[in-house]
Each structure stands twice: as C-alpha cells, then as structure tokens.
Amino acid sequence: MATAKNNKKGKKINTTIKKVTNAEVKEIKKETKKNYNLGWLWVIIGIVLPPVGIILYFIWKNKRKEDALKAGKAGLIALCIWAFVGISFILSDGGSNNNQNTGGTELKTVDVSLASDTIKKWYNDLDSGAGVVTVIASSTCPHCKNYKPIITDICEKEKIKLYFFESDQLSQDDYTILTNSINLQNYEGYVPYTFIVKDRKFVLDHTGEQDEAGTRNMLTEAGLLAN
C-alpha cells in the first residue's frame, strides 16, 4: 500500500512539474514573439530616424544584443541613404543656384553703353523677344567662310534675324557682351559657333559648319522655320 501511495504521489508530482513546464514554455514563446515584434518595430524606427537606431544600439548592446544589432544596422543603413539623398539635393540645389547666378538660360541685363552700334542693336533684338540667330566666327577660319553664305542666304530668304560676328574683329567690350549676355554653356572658343535666342531665352546651339539641310533642320528645331 505504501508503495502504491508513493507511486501515486510521484505521478502527481511529475504531472504538476509538467504543467508548470508547459506554462513556462508558453510564456517564453509569448515573450519571444513580443520581443521579435518589438525588434522589427525598432528596425522601422531606425530606418525612419537613423540617430534613434544608433542610440538604441549602444543602449541595448549588452542586454538586448539581437534588438541592438537590428536597430543599429537599420540606423546605419538609413544614415547612408539619408546622406546620399542629402548630398544629391545639395548638388542639385547648387546647380540650380549657379544657373540663377549666371542668368540661367535667360538673357541677362548688361550695360551696353560702351559697346559698338552693332552689338547694341544685336542686344536690343534679343531683348525684344524676337528669334535671333547669332554666329561667332573668325576672319581666318575656312569653315566659317564656308558656313557664312549658307546661313546668310537661308536667313535672308526666311526673314530671320542673323548676326554673324568675327570675334577677332571685335573689341574686348563687344566680345565680352556677346559671350556673356546669355549663358553659353557649350561655347568653348571653337568656331563657327551658332546659338539661337527666342523670347529672351537660349534655345539651342551648334558648333561647326553646316550644309543647307543641316542649317534648315537647326532653324526648324529652334522654331524659327515651319516644318
């Protein structure tokens, strides 16, 4: 009888231990799931607010290593992304400011009081909003000599305003006004260089001589000739 009783007690004790163990397992799983969810929550916070993720890494690195690593990695990744976006924005904004400081594609307001009558007339035509074709050439350039009769003939027939300047024949004041009244980003001193202004704005440019077909295509693209 004693043995049977002891066996029953032993069974009861074992059953109790098993129930406690199951409860503990459930609690551990619940806590693990909770921590897992919180871990991803801090990852999201770390991505949105990089400094928070990095700060949490240092706070948790000893006691909550797994969460610390998640938050820290998220913070570092987000910091790199935000830095890239910030640099891109600064560069983009800087480029926009440079265009604004140099007049962008619009005609600048310049003092033409010291310029020749031809340059004054050229500037006034640009300022009026009319479509104007300007060629910067040189008196010793064979390509300029080939190009001049072609573009002159087309512009005369189509009644398009054309100014053909030989830069080596201009005064320093005239040349400065000619090349700085509007932002000629692609002009590097090579001739012949043709640029077109319409409605006080730079439209397009071309470096080198062109045949009649190429010249007409350029003027059509600029909106000075009908298709």
Side-chain angles (χ1 to χ4, degrees):
M1 291 294 294
T3 302
K5 189 175 182 180
N6 290 336
N7 286 341
K8 287 182 179 180
K9 286 183 179 180
K11 189 174 182 180
K12 185 176 181 181
I13 290 172
N14 290 339
T15 302
T16 304
I17 292 172
K18 187 175 181 180
K19 288 181 179 179
V20 172
T21 303
N22 288 339
E24 289 177 349
V25 169
K26 289 180 180 179
E27 188 64 29
I28 291 170
K29 287 182 178 179
K30 183 177 179 181
E31 186 65 26
T32 301
K33 185 176 181 180
K34 179 180 179 182
N35 289 337
Y36 178 81
N37 292 334
L38 285 176
W40 281 107
L41 174 63
W42 292 120
V43 168
I44 295 171
I45 293 175
I47 291 175
V48 177
L49 300 171
V52 174
I54 295 172
I55 291 170
L56 289 176
Y57 168 77
F58 288 103
I59 294 175
W60 290 344
K61 67 177 182 177
N62 294 325
K63 295 182 180 180
R64 300 175 60 177
K65 294 182 179 180
E66 188 175 348
D67 286 345
L69 287 173
K70 288 180 181 178
K73 287 180 180 178
L76 286 174
I77 292 171
L79 189 63
C80 292
I81 294 172
W82 280 106
F84 175 77
V85 172
I87 292 172
S88 299
F89 176 79
I90 290 171
L91 291 176
S92 176
D93 186 58
S96 177
N97 288 335
N98 288 337
N99 285 337
Q100 185 177 1
N101 292 335
T102 58
T105 60
E106 293 188 1
L107 183 68
K108 304 174 190 176
T109 300
V110 297
D111 181 11
V112 296
S113 59
L114 298 177
S116 65
D117 291 340
T118 304
I119 288 292
K120 287 178 180 177
K121 186 174 185 304
W122 167 80
Y123 183 83
N124 288 334
D125 281 339
L126 264 62
D127 195 34
S128 71
V132 178
V133 179
T134 305
V135 180
I136 301 176
S138 170
S139 62
T140 59
C141 169
H143 300 290
C144 301
K145 291 178 180 179
N146 294 337
Y147 184 44
K148 184 175 182 178
I150 294 173
I151 193 167
T152 300
D153 184 58
I154 294 173
C155 288
E156 284 180 353
K157 287 180 179 178
E158 302 295 342
K159 295 181 172 48
I160 298 172
K161 290 184 181 293
L162 169 68
Y163 287 88
F164 197 99
F165 295 107
E166 293 176 337
S167 58
D168 55 329
Q169 302 298 314
L170 295 175
S171 68
Q172 186 60 50
D173 287 333
D174 281 359
Y175 183 75
T176 300
I177 293 171
L178 176 64
T179 56
N180 288 278
S181 294
I182 200 159
N183 191 11
L184 305 176
Q185 294 183 353
N186 297 320
Y187 179 57
E188 298 177 345
Y190 297 105
V191 293
Y193 174 77
T194 307
F195 67 95
I196 297 174
V197 175
K198 186 178 181 182
D199 297 327
R200 303 184 76 254
K201 293 183 179 180
F202 175 90
V203 180
L204 57 79
D205 60 4
H206 179 84
T207 302
E209 68 173 286
Q210 299 185 92
D211 57 16
E212 182 177 353
T215 303
R216 283 187 172 276
N217 287 337
M218 177 186 68
L219 298 174
T220 300
E221 185 180 350
L224 300 183
L225 281 180
N227 290 322

